[in-house]
Amino acid sequence: MSCHVVTYTGESCFEIEADNNDITEHPHDDEPTPYVCAMCNNKRFASKNGSRYHRKIHTGDNLYSRNECEKCYLFQSNLSHHMNIHRGKYKCTVCGKCCRTSRDLAVHMRVHTGDKPYKCSLCNKRFRQLGHLHLHKRHVHSNIRPYDCPYCGKLFKTIYELKRHVRTHTGAKPFSCRHCSERFTSYYKLKIHLLESHNEGTWFTCHICQQKFSQIGNFKIHIRRHEGVKPYFCYECPKRFCTRSELKSHRLVHSDYKQFSCSSCDKLF
């Protein structure tokens, strides 16, 4: 049996295509989590029941689905929440996006209101979602990298970073477009494709010039240029810049390093 399975993480969904032979169970009496999944980089579980539910992700057994779309869920409650999207029960009044739950809608509305209720206690940066705050602390304020790449040994802070990196070695593109044959290495790239190629999703629109952006990073830089905000400053002169890359290029002015040479003379730049 083969099935497209949707796993909801609280931030986004990803699809896995698997078959019955991809999951095995190896109990070890001397381990606190004796049940091991062979498909998830040896993901472990403390109970047989937990591993049994997890195995459904790979085997597709006893999945709940409806005719409205091809998505399948492990639990009836998850399917019921997903059906709210088709019913338009929790619909954004600004952009029309439909959400699974009232909580998802409340989180989505922060995109339009700009509300960021979660503040980092170390640098005061604010976030729309608690999960984003936790990721920020792990990425920025922690040097612990417990996950290593089996191909090149590079270390990563989260399992999600590792999985994205491993795809650069394997060439895997698990995220497919529902409208065309395009496939992508990450859910983020799929979202950009859906927006730019199929106009599915929410554009970031400048309130000053109405220019639209598919990526939040480019949108923020654009707004900074309108407002004259330059958060990146040079330590050796008074100049400030909108982006980190602009500052990096500027720093070469204060450096003796000159990598470009003239083909007609020995002058370096």
Side-chain angles (χ1 to χ4, degrees):
M1 176 182 177
S2 165
C3 182
H4 287 284
V5 182
V6 176
T7 301
Y8 185 69
T9 66
E11 302 288 340
S12 61
C13 292
F14 60 93
E15 294 187 359
I16 302 171
E17 188 171 327
D19 58 54
N20 285 340
N21 299 318
D22 287 331
I23 185 76
T24 56
E25 189 176 277
H26 306 285
H28 301 282
D29 294 335
D30 58 340
E31 294 284 351
T33 53
Y35 300 96
V36 184
C37 173
M39 278 292 293
C40 296
N41 295 324
N42 290 329
K43 187 172 184 178
R44 309 181 72 91
F45 299 88
S47 68
K48 187 173 183 178
N49 200 38
S51 67
R52 180 170 62 86
Y53 280 119
H54 172 79
R55 186 160 51 246
K56 291 182 181 182
I57 293 175
H58 303 295
T59 64
D61 294 338
N62 302 319
L63 294 173
Y64 296 94
S65 65
R66 290 289 294 271
N67 296 329
E68 283 81 356
C69 66
E70 296 179 352
K71 290 184 178 180
C72 304
Y73 290 87
L74 300 181
F75 304 102
Q76 178 67 51
S77 58
N78 291 344
L79 174 61
S80 298
H81 284 152
H82 169 73
M83 288 304 296
N84 289 329
I85 294 176
H86 297 293
R87 300 187 188 106
K89 185 175 180 180
Y90 301 105
K91 187 174 182 178
C92 176
T93 56
V94 179
C95 67
K97 181 178 180 179
C98 294
C99 299
R100 298 169 70 250
T101 66
S102 58
R103 180 186 177 279
D104 291 344
L105 177 59
V107 171
H108 165 76
M109 287 302 297
R110 294 172 190 157
V111 173
H112 302 296
T113 63
D115 182 30
K116 296 181 179 180
Y118 303 102
K119 185 174 75 170
C120 176
S121 58
L122 300 173
C123 67
N124 293 328
K125 190 172 182 179
R126 304 187 72 93
F127 300 88
R128 284 195 293 267
Q129 299 185 38
L130 182 59
H132 292 173
L133 171 59
H134 291 326
L135 284 174
H136 163 77
K137 286 185 174 180
R138 268 185 283 176
H139 281 277
V140 179
H141 302 297
S142 172
N143 291 320
I144 300 174
R145 289 178 168 85
Y147 304 99
D148 62 304
C149 174
Y151 295 93
C152 67
K154 189 174 181 179
L155 300 175
F156 297 88
K157 292 183 179 181
T158 68
I159 188 65
Y160 305 105
E161 286 180 314
L162 172 61
K163 287 180 178 179
R164 284 198 302 268
H165 168 78
V166 165
R167 291 177 197 139
T168 64
H169 296 290
T170 64
K173 295 182 178 181
F175 302 92
S176 59
C177 176
R178 66 176 66 90
H179 303 291
C180 65
S181 59
E182 290 288 331
R183 300 184 68 89
F184 302 90
T185 57
S186 70
Y187 179 70
Y188 177 69
K189 291 181 179 179
L190 171 60
K191 285 184 67 177
I192 293 173
H193 166 78
L194 288 172
L195 191 56
E196 294 181 345
S197 300
H198 305 289
N199 200 33
E200 179 180 322
T202 305
W203 291 91
F204 299 99
T205 305
C206 175
H207 64 284
I208 299 172
C209 67
Q210 305 306 309
Q211 186 174 344
K212 292 183 177 181
F213 297 86
S214 60
Q215 301 180 51
I216 184 65
N218 294 338
F219 171 67
K220 287 181 177 180
I221 292 172
H222 175 81
I223 294 297
R224 281 181 207 154
R225 297 195 191 282
H226 274 305
E227 298 176 346
V229 176
K230 297 181 178 181
Y232 301 95
F233 59 91
C234 179
Y235 291 103
E236 300 184 57
C237 72
K239 287 191 174 181
R240 303 179 69 95
F241 302 89
C242 285
T243 68
R244 185 180 286 108
S245 61
E246 290 174 350
L247 171 61
K248 185 178 180 181
S249 297
H250 165 76
R251 281 177 179 168
L252 294 175
V253 172
H254 303 291
S255 171
D256 292 331
Y257 176 64
K258 298 178 180 180
Q259 60 176 322
F260 302 103
S261 62
C262 176
S263 59
S264 302
C265 67
D266 295 331
K267 194 167 185 178
L268 300 174
F269 300 89

